[in-house]
Amino acid sequence: MADPVLEVRGLTRRFGAFTAVSDLSFEIQSGEIFGFLGPNGAGKSTTIRMLCGILAPSAGEARALGRDLFTEADHLRAQMGYMSQKSSLLTDLTVAENLNFFGGLYGLEGAGLRSEVEFRLREMQVWEHRDLLVSALSTGERQRVALASATLHRPRILFLDEPTSGVDPLRRRLFWEAMDELVTEGMSILVTTHNLGEADQCDRLAFILGGKLMAYGRPRSLKEALGRQVIELRTERFRELQAAARRHPEVLAAELLGRSVRLSLPGSLEPKPLLNQLQLEGFVFEALPAEQPSLEDLFVDLVQRSRVA
Ligand SMILES: Nc1ncnc2c1ncn2[C@@H]1O[C@H](COP(=O)(O)OP(=O)(O)O)[C@@H](O)[C@H]1O
Ligand SMILES: [Mg+2]
C-alpha cells in the first residue's frame, strides 16, 4: 500500500478541564474509506474539526500529503473537502446556486465551474433537482448535494461527518455508492458514523469512546480480536431468559434476536456451568454453536469495558 495520506499522532483537545479528544493516533492510507465509529459525544466531530483546521488542537501532530497539517494548512486547503454534521447548504438558494457559490469559494469559475457542477450533480443523482430550492429536497437528496459541494474542487482527502444520519437504508446505500465512486477517482475518505452496518463497509475503522481510541483495524480483524464468545439460546420464554441471564455477572451482554437470546461471554469462560445453572432456574432452551461476533458485539463490549474501568 502507498504512503498514508493522513497521519495523526497524539491528537488531543481539551475544553477547560474536560478532555474531548485524548491522545489519538491513526493513519489513513491512500484510496481507503476509513470509518470513525463511536457513540454520541465520543469526540468524532471534534477530531474532524481539528483536522479541517476549524478548531486548534491542544496537543498532537498531523501530516497530510507530506505536509504539516497545522502549520502548512494554507497549502492543504485546496486538497481537502469537508462535509459538516450540520449541513452548510444555503436552504433558500437552489441546488445549482449553492454549488456555484461553494465552487466560487474554491476558486472555480466560468466554464470550468459549470462543467464541474454538472459532473458532480449527475454523479450524485441530483442533476434533475438543480433548479429546486434546497429547502424543498429530502434529507437524502440534501446530503448528496452537500457531498457534491464538498467535492467540486476534487480534493484528495474528504472528511464526512455523519453524512447519512437521518437517511433511510436505501438512500444510505446510494450515498455509499457515491463514496465508492469518489474513491475510484482517487480520493481518500474519513467518514464518521454510529451505524454499525456502515462501519462494516469501511476498509478500516477506529472505534472511539470518551475521546480515546479503543480499537483500530479492519472490521474483520477487530471482530476476531474480540476475545469473547457468543452463544445463541433458542427458547419460548426469551424475555424471561434474557432477564435471568443478565443477573449472572459473567454474562457480558444478553440481547434478543428474534426468539433467541444472544449471550456474550468472555472468550476464556467454559459456558457449561452457566447453561446448567439457567436450566436449574427452570429454562428450557437449545444452545446454538458460537458464531463470529458482529461489530455490534464489539461495540457493546467496548462500551461495557469502559464502564467497568
Ligand atoms: N466547543 C465545545 N466546548 C465544550 N465542550 C465541547 C465543545 N465541543 C464539543 N464538546 C464536548 O466534547 C465531547 C465530544 O463532542 P463531539 O466531538 O461533538 O462528539 P461526537 O461528534 O463523537 O458526537 C462532547 O462531550 C461535547 O459535549
Ligand atoms: Mg459529531
Side-chain angles (χ1 to χ4, degrees):
M1 211 181 252
D3 284 341
V5 291
L6 179 71
E7 284 179 81
V8 176
R9 293 281 163 262
L11 191 64
T12 299
R13 172 68 205 207
R14 287 180 282 270
F15 294 109
F18 174 72
T19 305
V21 172
S22 177
D23 197 24
L24 280 193
S25 298
F26 61 92
E27 287 172 5
I28 299 184
Q29 303 293 338
S30 176
E32 82 176 339
I33 297 183
F34 187 89
F36 228 52
L37 183 68
N40 278 329
K44 305 182 295 295
S45 296
T46 304
T47 302
I48 287 202
R49 291 169 67 217
M50 288 191 278
L51 296 176
C52 291
I54 299 165
L55 186 70
S58 306
E61 293 163 21
R63 291 187 73 76
L65 306 167
R67 287 181 185 272
D68 186 305
L69 190 69
F70 300 125
T71 61
E72 300 178 273
D74 288 345
H75 297 280
L76 285 167
R77 222 172 291 282
Q79 317 261 27
M80 311 216 296
Y82 170 48
M83 184 175 153
S84 71
Q85 193 169 354
K86 284 218 171 72
S87 167
S88 48
L89 296 174
L90 307 162
T91 51
D92 53 352
L93 296 185
T94 67
V95 168
E97 285 166 346
N98 265 278
L99 269 80
N100 289 334
F101 173 72
F102 286 107
L105 293 185
Y106 297 131
L108 299 171
E109 54 186 18
L113 173 61
R114 277 198 301 281
S115 73
E116 209 60 26
V117 167
E118 176 168 352
F119 172 73
R120 284 297 169 211
L121 290 180
R122 285 189 188 282
E123 182 181 50
M124 298 302 155
Q125 304 185 34
V126 284
W127 173 245
E128 66 276 24
H129 300 324
R130 61 193 176 279
D131 293 324
L132 293 183
L133 291 178
V134 165
S135 58
L137 302 178
S138 71
T139 310
E141 288 159 354
R142 255 188 230 204
Q143 277 157 322
R144 294 202 308 282
V145 171
L147 185 57
S149 99
T151 53
L152 274 178
H153 57 310
R154 302 194 177 229
R156 301 265 316 273
I157 308 175
L158 188 57
F159 297 95
L160 307 176
D161 198 357
E162 289 192 35
T164 59
S165 69
V167 177
D168 66 65
L170 199 72
R171 303 300 178 310
R172 185 173 281 170
R173 199 153 85 208
L174 216 52
F175 194 95
W176 274 75
E177 283 168 14
M179 280 169 53
D180 284 335
E181 198 69 38
L182 296 171
V183 166
T184 311
E185 284 173 34
M187 289 183 206
S188 308
I189 301 180
L190 186 156
V191 57
T192 74
T193 180
H194 44 221
N195 181 291
L196 294 153
E198 286 189 342
D200 239 337
Q201 293 177 57
C202 295
D203 295 305
R204 285 186 313 137
L205 285 175
F207 266 102
I208 60 168
L209 196 63
K212 296 198 181 76
L213 187 70
M214 308 293 285
Y216 173 49
R218 296 191 176 278
R220 218 194 142 70
S221 48
L222 287 185
K223 289 185 221 171
E224 283 168 3
L226 189 52
R228 61 194 235 153
Q229 53 185 321
V230 179
I231 298 179
E232 202 172 309
L233 304 181
R234 200 168 286 170
T235 170
E236 293 289 303
R237 296 166 54 209
F238 46 92
R239 284 186 203 287
E240 292 105 309
L241 179 56
Q242 179 190 32
R246 282 179 168 169
R247 286 193 285 271
H248 289 267
E250 64 271 45
V251 172
L252 298 172
E255 305 300 333
L256 292 182
L257 185 79
R259 306 180 69 79
S260 303
V261 182
R262 268 170 71 90
L263 288 188
S264 298
L265 306 172
S268 55
L269 185 88
E270 166 54 58
K272 270 261 161 56
L274 172 69
L275 300 183
N276 288 344
Q277 185 58 38
L278 288 169
Q279 280 165 342
L280 282 177
E281 290 172 32
F283 292 101
V284 178
F285 52 78
E286 181 191 357
L288 302 175
E291 44 158 306
Q292 161 98 320
S294 68
L295 276 175
E296 190 156 356
D297 294 322
L298 177 59
F299 196 66
V300 169
D301 192 52
L302 288 170
V303 171
Q304 284 185 342
R305 273 191 228 173
S306 76
R307 287 205 186 117
V308 172

